[in-house]
Amino acid sequence: MSATIIDGKAFAGKVREKVAGHVSRLKDGHGITPGLAVVLVGEDPASQVYVRSKGKMTVEVGMKSVEHKLDVETSEADLLALIARLNADPDIHGILVQLPLPKHLNEDLVINSIDPAKDVDGFHISNVGLLGTGQKSMVPCTPLGCLMMLRDHHGSLSGMDAVVIGRSNIVGKPMAQLLLGDSCTVTIAHSRTKDLADVVRRADIVVAAVGRPEMVPGDWIKPGATVIDVGINRIERDGKTKLVGDVDFASCAAVAGAITPVPGGVGPMTIACLLANTVTAACRANGLAEPEGLTA
Ligand code: GUN
């Protein structure tokens, strides 16, 4: 194996430390405690795990964590009323509505009812538009985490060829915008892309975000390329449950220059960036200089 392993777990720890420093500054210097509200509708087990973990880390960096756990049958009107209350609450600087929502709720309508300044997921249509036009916005957490790791590893990304595999609104599309913002030449590949192997082989940076276990083999990777694996897939192997990414780690690590592992790569960066976005939102809401290195 030749690739440098990009340790997302350690990097996320450093980001949380930085966030905690800014939280102390806001508290001690300005009497402001950044507050994050997480809204969970229903009892999806994976979502419950995420929400618990978000709450714990929010408190660990010194911020206020508020959780609203709503019944699976909650009406759209009741959910919108809760969001309106959180939008108006000056102690709440970030609002996250855990997705997916139950089928009877219109996800776009709900997300777009969040005050864009408090939309720490960066999913509101205003933030999507601001990011797309290169303006200051709230940036989706997973792609922001990937960008931070890439910048840390490479310094400048200017002029690099990047391929993003996957075109989701949560990862693929914002990732492509961020890489474009850092002057990469960007290709977005997806399920209908002709000769995906050929497209990936041209890339200096490969971001895999498709949700298909180990679908990228090492012989698609240009020697020395950087591979960012966003996938978190649970598979059964040798009678055991195992977490694997969207790339075949062993064969890709043999060719790549650097690679993120699963687990311990992109995953821990997502929550760290959620906390970073919340402290950024709290600074902006109070007209204070925002932290450096925690935004795009
Ligand atoms: N569900 C899975 N990932 C996410 C995320 O990043 N944000 C929200 N709101 N829901 C999710």
Side-chain angles (χ1 to χ4, degrees):
M1 192 167 69
S2 61
T4 300
I5 306 297
I6 298 177
D7 186 345
K9 196 173 166 197
F11 197 100
K14 284 191 206 157
V15 171
R16 289 198 306 272
E17 261 177 43
K18 253 195 200 178
V19 170
H22 289 290
V23 170
S24 293
R25 182 173 61 88
L26 282 173
K27 280 181 167 172
D28 300 343
H30 303 276
I32 299 160
T33 302
L36 172 64
V38 174
V39 181
L40 174 63
V41 186
E43 291 177 2
D44 176 66
S47 293
Q48 284 178 323
V49 172
Y50 282 134
V51 168
R52 211 172 307 132
S53 179
K54 282 170 191 164
K56 186 169 160 269
M57 295 206 183
T58 304
V59 171
E60 273 174 17
V61 294
M63 303 200 289
K64 175 174 148 173
S65 168
V66 180
E67 283 175 21
H68 290 272
K69 293 185 177 162
L70 307 183
D71 189 87
V72 69
E73 309 260 324
T74 299
S75 70
E76 202 161 81
D78 284 350
L79 179 55
L80 293 176
L82 170 61
I83 292 172
R85 282 203 302 282
L86 296 170
N87 283 342
D89 185 341
D91 292 338
I92 296 296
H93 303 93
I95 302 170
L96 179 147
V97 177
Q98 184 67 28
L99 303 178
L101 287 170
K103 292 276 172 288
H104 68 283
L105 299 170
N106 180 336
E107 235 165 60
D108 287 337
L109 181 74
V110 170
I111 295 303
N112 290 325
S113 74
I114 299 171
D115 176 349
K118 297 190 179 188
D119 168 38
V120 282
D121 260 329
F123 295 165
H124 190 289
I125 192 72
S126 295
N127 282 316
V128 175
L130 290 168
L131 177 62
T133 50
Q135 300 178 70
K136 195 156 85 171
S137 65
M138 278 287 148
V139 177
C141 305
T142 300
L144 179 58
C146 296
L147 183 75
M148 284 184 187
M149 290 192 287
L150 284 166
R151 283 178 176 169
D152 183 66
H153 185 73
H154 286 284
S156 169
L157 308 181
S158 181
M160 295 179 86
D161 286 317
V163 169
V164 179
I165 314 173
R167 54 177 157 179
S168 72
N169 291 335
I170 294 182
V171 183
K173 285 181 201 157
M175 186 75 247
Q177 298 284 7
L178 289 171
L179 291 165
L180 198 54
D182 271 28
S183 302
C184 292
T185 302
V186 183
T187 303
I188 306 181
H190 47 76
S191 54
R192 302 292 174 88
T193 296
K194 278 183 274 176
D195 203 351
L196 181 58
D198 194 47
V199 171
V200 174
R201 273 189 200 112
R202 282 184 253 139
D204 304 309
I205 294 170
V206 180
V207 180
V210 262
R212 283 182 51 194
E214 300 175 325
M215 75 159 282
V216 178
D219 68 356
W220 289 11
I221 303 296
K222 175 165 144 180
T226 298
V227 178
I228 305 290
D229 191 350
V230 179
I232 301 177
N233 308 290
R234 230 168 271 277
I235 61 160
E236 295 294 323
R237 182 171 293 155
D238 307 327
K240 288 186 194 139
T241 306
K242 198 172 178 258
L243 275 190
V244 299
D246 289 349
V247 312
D248 177 48
F249 184 79
S251 65
C252 288
V255 187
I259 187 167
T260 59
V262 176
V266 174
M269 287 299 288
T270 297
I271 296 184
C273 287
L274 173 69
L275 304 176
N277 277 348
T278 305
V279 83
T280 297
C283 290
R284 287 181 186 168
N286 290 282
L288 298 168
E290 56 190 72
E292 286 203 8
L294 293 181
T295 48

XYZ file of all heavy atoms in Angstrom, residues 57-153:
731
model
N -21.953 15.968 20.716
C -20.792 16.757 20.269
C -21.058 18.257 20.359
O -20.127 19.039 20.578
C -20.408 16.360 18.853
C -19.924 14.937 18.825
S -18.823 14.628 17.473
C -18.530 12.880 17.704
N -22.316 18.646 20.173
C -22.677 20.071 20.294
C -22.364 20.547 21.713
O -21.746 21.600 21.916
C -24.183 20.272 19.982
O -24.453 19.751 18.691
C -24.577 21.732 20.018
N -22.759 19.736 22.693
C -22.523 20.089 24.101
C -21.020 20.061 24.401
O -20.500 20.930 25.102
C -23.310 19.125 25.023
C -22.927 19.319 26.473
C -24.814 19.332 24.829
N -20.322 19.082 23.835
C -18.872 18.948 24.093
C -18.080 20.183 23.656
O -17.057 20.504 24.250
C -18.310 17.713 23.379
C -18.450 16.458 24.232
C -18.046 15.189 23.497
O -17.363 15.274 22.446
O -18.433 14.114 23.957
N -18.519 20.866 22.592
C -17.786 22.079 22.175
C -18.314 23.329 22.877
O -17.902 24.450 22.558
C -17.790 22.298 20.636
C -17.023 21.195 19.930
C -19.197 22.443 20.081
N -19.228 23.149 23.829
C -19.684 24.266 24.655
C -20.928 24.972 24.145
O -21.321 26.003 24.682
N -21.554 24.420 23.104
C -22.750 25.074 22.560
C -24.008 24.504 23.218
O -23.986 23.450 23.851
C -22.839 24.850 21.042
C -21.612 25.350 20.314
S -21.841 25.651 18.554
C -21.970 24.037 17.923
N -25.109 25.245 23.022
C -26.394 24.772 23.540
C -27.029 23.844 22.494
O -27.059 24.171 21.304
C -27.279 25.996 23.792
C -28.690 25.679 24.219
C -29.398 26.982 24.575
C -30.866 26.859 24.246
N -31.670 27.972 24.697
N -27.494 22.685 22.963
C -28.148 21.731 22.058
C -29.604 21.576 22.446
O -29.920 21.334 23.609
C -27.441 20.371 22.174
O -28.196 19.372 21.547
N -30.495 21.750 21.464
C -31.925 21.570 21.704
C -32.428 20.506 20.743
O -32.174 20.587 19.541
C -32.690 22.899 21.440
C -34.172 22.717 21.690
C -32.138 24.011 22.300
N -33.090 19.493 21.284
C -33.625 18.438 20.404
C -35.135 18.460 20.450
O -35.723 18.513 21.525
C -33.100 17.070 20.843
C -31.668 16.850 20.420
C -31.079 15.553 20.949
O -31.837 14.626 21.300
O -29.844 15.498 21.021
N -35.765 18.424 19.277
C -37.221 18.319 19.185
C -37.537 16.988 18.512
O -37.292 16.831 17.315
C -37.804 19.476 18.377
C -37.705 20.790 19.082
N -38.678 21.243 19.943
C -36.726 21.724 19.088
C -38.310 22.411 20.437
N -37.126 22.727 19.938
N -38.055 16.050 19.298
C -38.403 14.741 18.741
C -39.912 14.696 18.560
O -40.652 14.754 19.544
C -37.920 13.637 19.669
C -36.423 13.583 19.734
C -35.917 12.423 20.549
C -34.402 12.417 20.494
N -33.786 11.640 21.546
N -40.344 14.625 17.322
C -41.774 14.700 17.021
C -42.301 13.341 16.579
O -41.570 12.539 15.975
C -42.031 15.730 15.916
C -41.466 17.140 16.130
C -41.880 18.049 14.976
C -41.939 17.728 17.452
N -43.581 13.135 16.858
C -44.241 11.896 16.482
C -44.222 11.726 14.954
O -44.286 12.711 14.215
C -45.693 11.960 16.993
C -46.382 10.633 16.837
O -46.262 9.811 17.754
O -46.996 10.415 15.771
N -44.150 10.478 14.504
C -44.101 10.173 13.065
C -45.323 10.724 12.313
O -45.257 11.008 11.118
C -43.918 8.640 12.849
C -45.176 7.878 13.265
C -43.521 8.315 11.419
N -46.424 10.901 13.045
C -47.681 11.378 12.426
C -47.790 12.915 12.439
O -48.811 13.462 12.024
C -48.883 10.836 13.218
C -48.855 9.336 13.456
C -49.728 8.591 12.484
O -50.788 9.116 12.134
O -49.317 7.495 12.056
N -46.754 13.603 12.927
C -46.806 15.076 13.012
C -47.256 15.692 11.684
O -46.775 15.294 10.614
C -45.397 15.615 13.381
O -45.049 15.081 14.649
C -45.369 17.129 13.443
N -48.166 16.666 11.753
C -48.658 17.295 10.518
C -47.641 18.308 10.007
O -46.801 18.814 10.772
C -49.990 17.998 10.786
O -49.755 19.140 11.595
N -47.751 18.606 8.721
C -46.861 19.584 8.115
C -47.032 20.947 8.803
O -46.057 21.649 9.070
C -47.189 19.707 6.625
C -46.057 20.252 5.807
C -46.258 19.926 4.353
O -47.021 20.653 3.693
O -45.686 18.921 3.892
N -48.290 21.290 9.112
C -48.570 22.586 9.753
C -47.862 22.679 11.107
O -47.271 23.718 11.442
C -50.070 22.773 9.923
N -47.896 21.586 11.883
C -47.239 21.612 13.198
C -45.716 21.721 13.054
O -45.061 22.441 13.821
C -47.596 20.355 14.008
C -49.015 20.442 14.576
O -49.610 21.536 14.502
O -49.514 19.419 15.077
N -45.166 21.010 12.078
C -43.717 21.068 11.864
C -43.310 22.486 11.417
O -42.323 23.050 11.923
C -43.302 20.017 10.823
C -41.819 19.964 10.463
C -40.937 19.773 11.690
C -41.550 18.833 9.456
N -44.090 23.063 10.511
C -43.781 24.420 10.036
C -43.900 25.433 11.175
O -43.113 26.395 11.251
C -44.691 24.809 8.864
C -44.473 23.999 7.570
C -45.487 24.405 6.501
C -43.053 24.151 7.030
N -44.853 25.207 12.076
C -45.028 26.118 13.219
C -43.815 26.039 14.148
O -43.337 27.071 14.657
C -46.316 25.775 13.968
N -43.305 24.818 14.356
C -42.105 24.666 15.188
C -40.924 25.396 14.538
O -40.182 26.131 15.218
C -41.764 23.172 15.379
C -40.402 22.896 16.021
C -40.306 23.490 17.428
C -40.107 21.386 16.061
N -40.752 25.212 13.234
C -39.629 25.871 12.541
C -39.769 27.390 12.641
O -38.772 28.098 12.871
C -39.530 25.383 11.073
C -39.118 23.902 11.060
C -38.527 26.221 10.280
C -39.176 23.238 9.713
N -40.987 27.896 12.527
C -41.204 29.353 12.650
C -40.784 29.837 14.042
O -40.166 30.911 14.176
C -42.667 29.685 12.379
N -41.081 29.033 15.067
C -40.674 29.425 16.439
C -39.141 29.432 16.561
O -38.557 30.342 17.147
C -41.267 28.451 17.475
C -42.745 28.679 17.789
C -43.127 28.113 19.161
N -42.876 26.692 19.330
C -43.644 25.708 18.840
N -44.721 26.002 18.140
N -43.336 24.450 19.053
N -38.506 28.416 15.998
C -37.037 28.347 16.065
C -36.406 29.481 15.250
O -35.398 30.061 15.648
C -36.543 26.979 15.568
C -36.967 25.775 16.414
C -36.624 24.461 15.697
C -36.307 25.810 17.794
N -37.011 29.812 14.103
C -36.511 30.936 13.290
C -36.518 32.235 14.099
O -35.612 33.065 13.972
C -37.401 31.147 12.057
C -37.130 30.124 10.956
O -36.097 29.468 10.949
N -38.078 29.988 10.032
N -37.540 32.381 14.947
C -37.711 33.638 15.703
C -36.936 33.643 17.020
O -36.844 34.691 17.672
C -39.197 33.853 15.983
N -36.379 32.510 17.418
C -35.720 32.393 18.723
C -34.272 32.902 18.641
O -33.431 32.283 17.969
C -35.752 30.911 19.153
C -35.203 30.710 20.558
O -34.478 31.606 21.063
O -35.485 29.655 21.145
N -33.952 34.010 19.322
C -32.600 34.566 19.215
C -31.509 33.688 19.843
O -30.324 33.875 19.552
C -32.704 35.901 19.972
C -33.894 35.772 20.862
C -34.834 34.804 20.215
N -31.895 32.717 20.673
C -30.892 31.819 21.270
C -30.536 30.649 20.355
O -29.639 29.861 20.665
C -31.406 31.259 22.608
C -31.514 32.351 23.659
O -30.828 33.390 23.504
O -32.303 32.178 24.607
N -31.281 30.501 19.276
C -31.016 29.417 18.318
C -30.361 30.009 17.070
O -30.937 30.854 16.396
C -32.338 28.679 17.940
C -32.933 27.987 19.161
C -32.112 27.681 16.802
C -32.073 26.876 19.759
N -29.127 29.540 16.791
C -28.382 30.062 15.635
C -28.360 29.084 14.468
O -28.087 29.473 13.339
C -26.956 30.403 16.062
C -26.922 31.374 17.196
N -26.850 30.965 18.517
C -27.028 32.719 17.224
C -26.871 32.035 19.300
N -26.993 33.101 18.545
N -28.601 27.799 14.763
C -28.619 26.785 13.711
C -29.824 25.876 13.872
O -30.200 25.532 14.999
N -30.447 25.538 12.729
C -31.594 24.612 12.751
C -31.311 23.498 11.752
O -30.962 23.769 10.595
C -32.906 25.326 12.333
C -33.192 26.519 13.242
C -34.084 24.337 12.318
C -34.328 27.415 12.736
N -31.447 22.263 12.207
C -31.271 21.116 11.317
C -32.497 20.220 11.424
O -32.861 19.817 12.526
C -30.008 20.346 11.726
C -29.659 19.093 10.920
C -28.156 18.924 10.836
C -30.295 17.832 11.491
N -33.154 19.984 10.313
C -34.266 19.026 10.281
C -33.704 17.735 9.708
O -33.247 17.692 8.553
C -35.433 19.551 9.415
C -36.540 18.505 9.329
C -35.974 20.862 9.984
N -33.693 16.698 10.517
C -33.082 15.434 10.095
C -33.872 14.835 8.930
O -35.098 14.730 8.977
C -33.050 14.461 11.287
C -32.350 13.135 11.020
C -30.845 13.271 10.789
O -30.195 14.191 11.288
N -30.288 12.351 10.018
N -33.165 14.436 7.881
C -33.767 13.793 6.714
C -33.415 12.310 6.733
O -32.409 11.935 7.309
C -33.243 14.448 5.438
C -33.460 15.973 5.325
C -32.843 16.488 4.022
C -34.946 16.319 5.385
N -34.178 11.430 6.148
C -35.420 11.706 5.421
C -36.589 11.969 6.366
O -36.592 11.476 7.490
C -35.644 10.413 4.630
C -34.983 9.345 5.452
C -33.824 10.002 6.126
N -37.561 12.743 5.855
C -38.799 12.963 6.605
C -39.811 11.899 6.213
O -39.719 11.332 5.117
C -39.360 14.350 6.270
C -38.610 15.545 6.853
C -39.133 16.848 6.237
C -38.735 15.581 8.371
N -40.793 11.621 7.092
C -41.862 10.697 6.694
C -42.536 11.171 5.400
O -42.566 12.375 5.114
C -42.838 10.765 7.878
C -42.022 11.229 9.033
C -40.948 12.119 8.461
N -43.049 10.215 4.646
C -43.543 10.474 3.273
C -44.622 11.560 3.170
O -44.721 12.226 2.140
C -44.098 9.167 2.665
C -43.047 8.116 2.383
C -42.363 8.345 1.031
C -41.176 7.432 0.812
N -39.994 7.759 1.614
N -45.433 11.745 4.214
C -46.529 12.713 4.101
C -46.054 14.167 4.233
O -46.840 15.086 4.063
C -47.622 12.418 5.149
C -47.187 12.667 6.565
N -46.370 11.793 7.267
C -47.436 13.696 7.411
C -46.150 12.279 8.475
N -46.786 13.427 8.591
N -44.761 14.354 4.513
C -44.232 15.717 4.674
C -43.418 16.116 3.439
O -42.606 15.317 2.940
C -43.356 15.795 5.931
C -44.081 15.467 7.239
C -43.086 15.320 8.384
C -45.117 16.531 7.568
N -43.645 17.319 2.959
C -42.946 17.821 1.771
C -41.571 18.367 2.188
O -41.468 19.445 2.777
C -43.811 18.910 1.119
C -43.146 19.493 -0.125
O -41.927 19.451 -0.287
N -43.969 20.047 -1.001
N -40.535 17.586 1.870
C -39.180 17.904 2.326
C -38.713 19.277 1.838
O -38.161 20.065 2.616
C -38.212 16.828 1.830
C -37.420 16.206 2.941
C -36.743 14.909 2.540
O -35.913 14.904 1.604
O -37.042 13.889 3.175
N -38.954 19.582 0.567
C -38.512 20.876 0.014
C -39.188 22.033 0.744
O -38.540 23.017 1.117
C -38.836 20.963 -1.485
C -37.921 20.077 -2.311
O -36.816 19.763 -1.826
O -38.320 19.677 -3.422
N -40.508 21.876 0.951
C -41.257 22.939 1.626
C -40.712 23.159 3.040
O -40.512 24.299 3.488
C -42.744 22.548 1.685
C -43.673 23.550 2.341
C -43.898 24.736 1.401
C -45.018 22.911 2.689
N -40.469 22.054 3.746
C -39.990 22.134 5.131
C -38.606 22.787 5.174
O -38.378 23.736 5.939
C -39.976 20.728 5.782
C -39.249 20.743 7.117
C -41.402 20.204 5.941
N -37.689 22.317 4.346
C -36.319 22.861 4.341
C -36.336 24.353 3.982
O -35.628 25.164 4.584
C -35.416 22.076 3.353
C -35.237 20.619 3.796
C -34.059 22.753 3.162
C -34.665 20.411 5.163
N -37.167 24.708 3.014
C -37.198 26.114 2.571
C -37.949 27.030 3.532
O -38.019 28.245 3.315
C -37.757 26.211 1.150
C -36.781 25.631 0.144
O -35.570 25.756 0.317
N -37.291 24.973 -0.883
N -38.519 26.461 4.598
C -39.163 27.292 5.619
C -38.158 27.695 6.716
O -38.451 28.538 7.560
C -40.355 26.560 6.240
O -39.896 25.540 7.102
N -36.954 27.078 6.695
C -35.915 27.444 7.668
C -35.310 28.791 7.253
O -35.067 29.018 6.065
C -34.802 26.353 7.706
C -35.378 24.998 8.138
C -33.650 26.770 8.609
C -34.400 23.829 7.986
N -35.062 29.671 8.226
C -34.359 30.925 7.942
C -32.996 30.568 7.315
O -32.204 29.857 7.945
C -34.167 31.675 9.279
C -33.359 32.959 9.123
O -32.761 33.181 8.050
O -33.327 33.725 10.098
N -32.710 31.029 6.090
C -31.444 30.653 5.431
C -30.211 30.932 6.292
O -29.227 30.197 6.226
C -31.426 31.499 4.160
C -32.838 31.880 3.906
C -33.539 31.902 5.240
N -30.278 31.980 7.133
C -29.133 32.318 7.994
C -28.923 31.263 9.088
O -27.843 31.153 9.651
C -29.340 33.683 8.624
N -29.977 30.477 9.382
C -29.875 29.428 10.410
C -29.795 28.028 9.795
O -29.754 27.027 10.517
C -31.100 29.499 11.341
C -31.199 30.800 12.128
C -32.279 30.736 13.206
C -32.341 32.048 14.001
N -33.244 31.955 15.168
N -29.768 27.966 8.463
C -29.795 26.684 7.733
C -28.397 26.059 7.725
O -27.677 26.121 6.721
C -30.307 26.953 6.312
C -30.110 25.784 5.374
O -30.284 24.636 5.824
O -29.765 26.030 4.191
N -28.002 25.468 8.852
C -26.632 24.961 8.995
C -26.352 23.722 8.142
O -25.208 23.302 8.007
C -26.287 24.675 10.485
C -25.981 25.972 11.209
C -27.404 23.910 11.188
N -27.387 23.149 7.534
C -27.202 22.066 6.553
C -26.850 22.623 5.170
O -26.370 21.879 4.312
C -28.511 21.272 6.400
C -28.511 19.974 7.182
O -27.422 19.383 7.338
O -29.591 19.547 7.618
N -27.171 23.897 4.941
C -26.946 24.488 3.614
C -27.859 23.934 2.537
O -27.501 23.948 1.358
N -29.038 23.478 2.919
C -29.949 22.862 1.945
C -31.001 23.836 1.413
O -31.695 23.528 0.445
C -30.689 21.661 2.568
C -29.808 20.500 2.949
C -30.290 19.495 3.800
C -28.510 20.375 2.457
C -29.492 18.406 4.155
C -27.709 19.293 2.820
C -28.201 18.306 3.669
N -31.185 24.989 2.102
C -32.202 25.959 1.663
C -31.867 26.460 0.253
O -30.698 26.677 -0.067
C -32.233 27.138 2.641
C -33.370 28.076 2.438
N -33.444 28.926 1.353
C -34.494 28.297 3.166
C -34.564 29.634 1.430
N -35.210 29.263 2.526
N -32.908 26.652 -0.543
C -32.706 27.052 -1.946
C -31.873 28.340 -2.051
O -31.091 28.488 -3.000
C -34.084 27.168 -2.657
C -33.918 27.287 -4.171
C -34.947 28.268 -2.095
C -33.480 26.002 -4.812
N -31.988 29.242 -1.074
C -31.174 30.476 -1.098
C -29.694 30.146 -0.942
O -28.841 30.722 -1.623
C -31.553 31.422 0.044
O -32.844 31.874 -0.131
N -29.387 29.233 -0.022
C -27.984 28.859 0.168
C -27.433 28.102 -1.037
O -26.270 28.272 -1.407
C -27.830 28.040 1.457
C -27.858 28.939 2.684
O -27.220 29.994 2.697
N -28.631 28.557 3.701
N -28.291 27.277 -1.653
C -27.866 26.553 -2.860
C -27.519 27.572 -3.953
O -26.476 27.458 -4.622
C -28.987 25.595 -3.331
C -28.612 24.934 -4.664
C -29.263 24.528 -2.265
N -28.364 28.595 -4.097
C -28.131 29.631 -5.105
C -26.897 30.468 -4.803
O -26.112 30.796 -5.702
N -26.703 30.803 -3.529
C -25.526 31.594 -3.141
C -24.245 30.816 -3.414
O -23.273 31.361 -3.960
C -25.615 31.974 -1.654
C -26.689 33.008 -1.289
C -26.890 33.074 0.226
C -26.333 34.394 -1.831
N -24.248 29.528 -3.069
C -23.049 28.703 -3.318
C -22.783 28.616 -4.823
O -21.638 28.765 -5.265
C -23.250 27.291 -2.720
C -22.116 26.293 -2.963
C -20.809 26.757 -2.335
C -22.490 24.899 -2.422
N -23.846 28.416 -5.592
C -23.710 28.271 -7.048
C -23.196 29.525 -7.724
O -22.593 29.462 -8.798
N -23.413 30.686 -7.090
C -22.944 31.940 -7.692
C -21.707 32.473 -6.970
O -21.317 33.617 -7.158
C -24.065 33.006 -7.662
O -24.605 33.075 -6.327
C -25.173 32.663 -8.635
N -21.108 31.626 -6.121
C -19.842 31.991 -5.476
C -19.991 33.044 -4.387
O -19.033 33.754 -4.080
N -21.182 33.158 -3.807
C -21.390 34.139 -2.736
C -21.354 33.447 -1.371
O -21.475 32.230 -1.278
C -22.738 34.835 -2.927
C -22.843 35.572 -4.254
C -24.188 36.221 -4.449
O -24.522 37.190 -3.789
N -24.982 35.679 -5.361
N -21.206 34.275 -0.327
C -21.144 33.743 1.034
C -22.458 33.043 1.370
O -23.535 33.609 1.180
C -20.893 34.903 1.994
C -20.466 34.468 3.354
C -19.692 35.559 4.062
C -20.617 36.528 4.756
N -19.903 37.472 5.613
N -22.360 31.795 1.871
C -23.576 31.006 2.129
C -23.317 30.078 3.301
O -22.247 30.087 3.888
C -23.914 30.181 0.886
O -22.901 29.225 0.640
N -24.323 29.278 3.629
C -24.107 28.124 4.503
C -23.815 26.948 3.567
O -24.582 26.700 2.625
C -25.372 27.835 5.310
C -25.514 28.706 6.521
S -24.324 28.194 7.777
C -24.015 29.766 8.525
N -22.726 26.234 3.830
C -22.274 25.185 2.910
C -22.604 23.806 3.486
O -22.319 23.561 4.664
C -20.745 25.318 2.683
C -20.237 24.209 1.791
C -20.415 26.673 2.080
N -23.198 22.913 2.699
C -23.519 21.568 3.201
C -22.310 20.884 3.862
O -21.179 20.979 3.364
C -23.983 20.824 1.941
C -24.554 21.902 1.075
C -23.673 23.100 1.323
N -22.584 20.228 4.984
C -21.506 19.792 5.890
C -20.571 18.743 5.289
O -19.344 18.837 5.463
C -22.124 19.252 7.177
S -23.220 20.425 7.978
N -21.114 17.736 4.616
C -20.246 16.665 4.109
C -19.292 17.186 3.031
O -18.072 16.978 3.133
C -21.082 15.466 3.616
O -21.849 14.984 4.726
C -20.202 14.348 3.083
N -19.789 17.910 2.021
C -18.847 18.454 1.036
C -17.858 19.448 1.649
O -16.689 19.471 1.257
C -19.737 19.158 0.009
C -21.112 18.721 0.279
C -21.192 18.138 1.633
N -18.303 20.235 2.636
C -17.385 21.169 3.302
C -16.248 20.397 3.980
O -15.079 20.778 3.892
C -18.145 22.034 4.318
C -17.319 23.037 5.123
C -16.576 24.021 4.219
C -18.211 23.811 6.112
N -16.602 19.298 4.631
C -15.588 18.451 5.274
C -14.601 17.893 4.260
O -13.385 17.854 4.509
N -15.101 17.457 3.112
C -14.221 16.929 2.053
C -13.277 18.026 1.565
O -12.077 17.793 1.375
C -15.052 16.417 0.875
S -16.106 15.013 1.263
N -13.820 19.233 1.366
C -12.997 20.355 0.884
C -11.892 20.695 1.886
O -10.736 20.903 1.501
C -13.884 21.586 0.649
C -13.162 22.795 0.068
C -12.868 22.588 -1.417
C -13.967 24.079 0.266
N -12.252 20.707 3.173
C -11.242 21.020 4.200
C -10.092 20.010 4.153
O -8.921 20.391 4.239
C -11.873 20.983 5.592
C -12.715 22.183 5.939
S -13.268 21.978 7.665
C -14.400 23.343 7.809
N -10.434 18.716 4.007
C -9.379 17.691 3.971
C -8.521 17.838 2.714
O -7.296 17.677 2.769
C -9.996 16.291 4.055
C -10.581 15.988 5.428
S -11.005 14.255 5.671
C -12.458 14.129 4.665
N -9.167 18.141 1.591
C -8.408 18.315 0.337
C -7.472 19.515 0.428
O -6.302 19.437 0.015
C -9.377 18.479 -0.843
C -10.042 17.195 -1.323
C -11.222 17.503 -2.259
C -9.024 16.296 -2.048
N -7.981 20.627 0.977
C -7.131 21.825 1.114
C -5.965 21.558 2.061
O -4.841 21.996 1.832
C -7.950 23.000 1.651
C -8.838 23.650 0.611
C -9.632 24.764 1.270
N -10.440 25.508 0.324
C -11.376 26.385 0.687
N -11.622 26.619 1.962
N -12.078 27.024 -0.221
N -6.253 20.829 3.127
C -5.212 20.522 4.109
C -4.126 19.654 3.473
O -2.936 19.857 3.710
C -5.838 19.788 5.304
C -4.815 19.499 6.388
O -4.325 20.468 6.988
O -4.498 18.313 6.625
N -4.533 18.714 2.638
C -3.559 17.793 2.037
C -2.761 18.453 0.916
O -1.558 18.238 0.788
C -4.275 16.547 1.509
C -3.325 15.505 0.994
N -2.539 14.743 1.827
C -2.991 15.148 -0.271
C -1.780 13.944 1.093
N -2.028 14.167 -0.178
